[in-house]
Structures are given as structure tokens and as C-alpha cells.
Amino acid sequence: MIVLFTVTFSRAQQLDADKVSACQLKQDPAAYNHKLVEVTGFVTHAARNFTLYDPTCPTWPAIWLEYGGSINSGTVACCKTLADRQRRQPLQIESIPLPLIDNQLFQDFDRAIQPPFPEGQGSAVEHATIIGTFFAGQQMQTAAGQPYWGGFGYLGCCSLLAIQEIKDADTRRRDDLDYGESTEKLSLPDPDCTLRTLLPDEQTAAFLNAQRNADSASQDWAFSDPARVAAETLSHVGHLKSVTAAGLKLLHDTPARKTYQWTAGHRPKTYTITLSRPYWLSFYARDPHRVAWVPVAAYETSCDTQAE
């Protein structure tokens, strides 16, 4: 009887759910409030981050995720780690009961996004199709007066999609793709040193453009020459003329992520850049097995305490 009920409920969800994109949910949260929706996108999970995103629209404001039913995702939503993965009562939000289909597909998905994460990464990323109930939250505004919808998730950051079924998920792993964020920390050699970020926060459009250029053969070296990508990026964002691939020092090396360092000659400045082959970018590549190297972090460290 239990199995029969689960199958029937799953089919009912798939028939009744509105197919929408993450971008549509972000553009007009109120229009989908309390609606059962089916969304395909990329799920990222870390200690304080369980969100759904679509690279074709801005990452902010985010859509927070949580499991329905009695299973807790284990994500920090406010101030403490939720070590107990089981709730005492099935999830209910705004008087709406939110059951979860706990089948093999869900269990495989959950296992893939939970720690421990691979060495050097502080999160996991999965491509998935989710069925769940959307909660717009409340209209809020940032300190700068920018309006957004929030109230759910870490410190009330986001709208919420309560997961009730995983319809599809890519739980495979490739060694040459980067499935998460780096946990590499840059340490300053001296308290008087300063660190300046060289890349903008929003890099998605630049990554897509880099992949298109590589696919078109105009910059196909981005597939196989990460040192050249690093040198040309530093030259551009650091306004430097003398950066060469041969002059870079390789600090960290994996098939999916590389970190280089370059010292600016006689000047007391050091430049560090990390390149990645993002997992999500493989979905936009002409050949998913050929993903371009793209810069995910770049820093200028200056230890000169006197003005130049």
C-alpha cells in the first residue's frame, strides 16, 4: 500500500506542477507563490548555502532550497549547524504540508551533495530537475535600498523552493570538471599587506563567452593551455604588460582547478589567479567533454607600506 501511494503521488505531482525556469521564479516571485513547480537548474550545497541557480540570469537574489517531509538538508539557515538530519514532524510552511518522495533518485541526489566534499572544495554542485512548492517570502530591501524577495534561508536571504521530489539528477563525477567552490585561503605574509580582488563578483556571462570563443576555434587554446589563460587574464585585469605563461609559478594543480602566482618584477606586488573547468559550463559547451579554462579568482597582494 505504501509503495502504491508513493507512485500515485509522484505522478500527480508531475501532472500538476507548472514547468518554470529559475529565472522566471526570480523575475516574478509573487506570481508563483505557493504553487507546485517543476524547475531544472543547478543546485549548490555548502555549510551555509543550499540554492538553485540558472547561469543565464543573475545569481542574486537567490532561491533557497530545503527538503520537504521529515528529512533535513543539514544546511545552516540561521545561526547553527543542523546536525540532526531528521525532523520530528514533516515540514509545513505557511500552513501548507510539504511531503517528500524519499526514493532512490532522491537518496542518490542527497548523497552527491552532502559532505565530505572533494579535497580543495567547500561545496557540491549538481544539475537536477526538482518538483516542489515555491514560497516567494516577503518584499524586502537591501541597505542600499534595492528591493528583493526574501525571508527564507541563511539570514533570510532568499525565496524558498521546498523540494518534494527529485525528478532527475546528474550524480556522475568527472575528474576534469570542478563541482564546487575552492576552499583555498590566501594568507598575507605581513599584517601591513593588502589584498585586492581583480575580478567582478558576477562572472557567469564572461565564462559563457569564453566557452563560445573556445568552441568557435578563435581561442581553442583555452581548452589545453591554462597557463596562457592565466597570463592573458592577469595582463588584462591587472593592467600588466609583462606577464607571460613561462613566468607563472604553479601553486596548485588538479585536472579541474589550477592556481598560479606571478611576481611583478621589482615592485612589491604578487598576483595570484585560480582557473577552473566549471561543471555547469559543460552544459553550454559544443562538446561537453571540452570545457574551457576560465578564471574564477584573481588577487593582487601588495606589501608596500609606502605610496608608490
Side-chain angles (χ1 to χ4, degrees), residues 275-306:
L275 304 183
S276 168
R277 282 179 170 145
Y279 159 71
W280 68 264
L281 200 54
S282 67
F283 287 78
Y284 297 88
R286 181 177 298 172
D287 178 352
H289 294 283
R290 285 168 57 83
V291 177
W293 287 101
V294 294
V296 294
Y299 304 93
E300 175 193 82
T301 306
S302 176
C303 297
D304 187 8
T305 58
Q306 298 179 356

Side-chain angles (χ1 to χ4, degrees), residues 4 54 133 151 175 192 218 230 251 253:
L4 191 58
D54 184 326
T133 301
D175 292 338
D192 293 326
S218 63
L251 299 181
D253 185 13

Side-chain angles (χ1 to χ4, degrees), residues 1 22 55 60 70 94 125 168:
M1 292 295 293
W60 191 90
S70 300
E94 297 176 2
V125 177
D168 188 29

Side-chain angles (χ1 to χ4, degrees), residues 64-253:
W64 192 266
L65 299 171
E66 185 50 86
Y67 296 151
S70 300
I71 300 178
N72 197 315
S73 68
T75 319
V76 176
C78 176
C79 312
K80 62 181 181 179
T81 302
L82 302 175
D84 188 356
R85 296 290 311 279
Q86 291 293 323
R87 298 190 184 95
R88 294 182 179 180
Q89 298 292 334
L91 185 65
Q92 181 171 301
I93 298 176
E94 297 176 2
S95 302
I96 299 176
L98 301 163
L100 171 70
I101 296 177
D102 182 9
N103 55 15
Q104 189 62 52
L105 189 56
F106 167 77
Q107 292 169 17
D108 290 343
F109 168 84
D110 179 63
R111 190 179 303 111
I113 67 167
Q114 293 295 339
F117 302 123
E119 182 180 358
Q121 296 180 1
S123 66
V125 177
E126 293 292 331
H127 186 262
T129 298
I130 295 169
I131 294 176
T133 301
F134 182 73
F135 296 88
Q138 304 173 6
Q139 283 191 301
M140 309 173 78
Q141 64 179 18
T142 65
Q146 184 177 0
Y148 72 100
W149 288 81
F152 296 100
Y154 185 63
L155 300 180
C157 64
C158 317
S159 296
L160 173 70
L161 178 61
I163 298 174
Q164 295 175 253
E165 180 180 6
I166 299 297
K167 186 176 179 181
D168 188 29
D170 178 18
T171 57
R172 299 167 297 174
R173 284 291 182 271
R174 283 170 45 187
D175 292 338
D176 64 321
L177 294 179
D178 192 349
Y179 288 82
E181 300 171 353
S182 172
T183 57
E184 295 177 69
K185 302 297 182 183
L186 293 178
S187 57
L188 295 175
D190 188 277
D192 293 326
C193 295
T194 58
L195 193 70
R196 183 168 69 96
T197 301
L198 300 177
L199 295 176
D201 292 334
E202 189 64 59
Q203 282 283 90
T204 304
F207 292 172
L208 291 170
N209 188 55
Q211 182 66 44
R212 284 192 291 267
N213 289 338
D215 283 336
S216 69
S218 63
Q219 294 181 2
D220 58 355
W221 44 266
F223 292 128
S224 57
D225 195 348
R228 180 176 176 181
V229 175
E232 295 204 2
T233 301
L234 284 180
S235 296
H236 175 66
V237 300
H239 306 289
L240 305 165
K241 297 181 180 180
S242 55
V243 183
T244 64
L248 295 173
K249 179 182 179 181
L250 184 61
L251 299 181
H252 180 75
D253 185 13

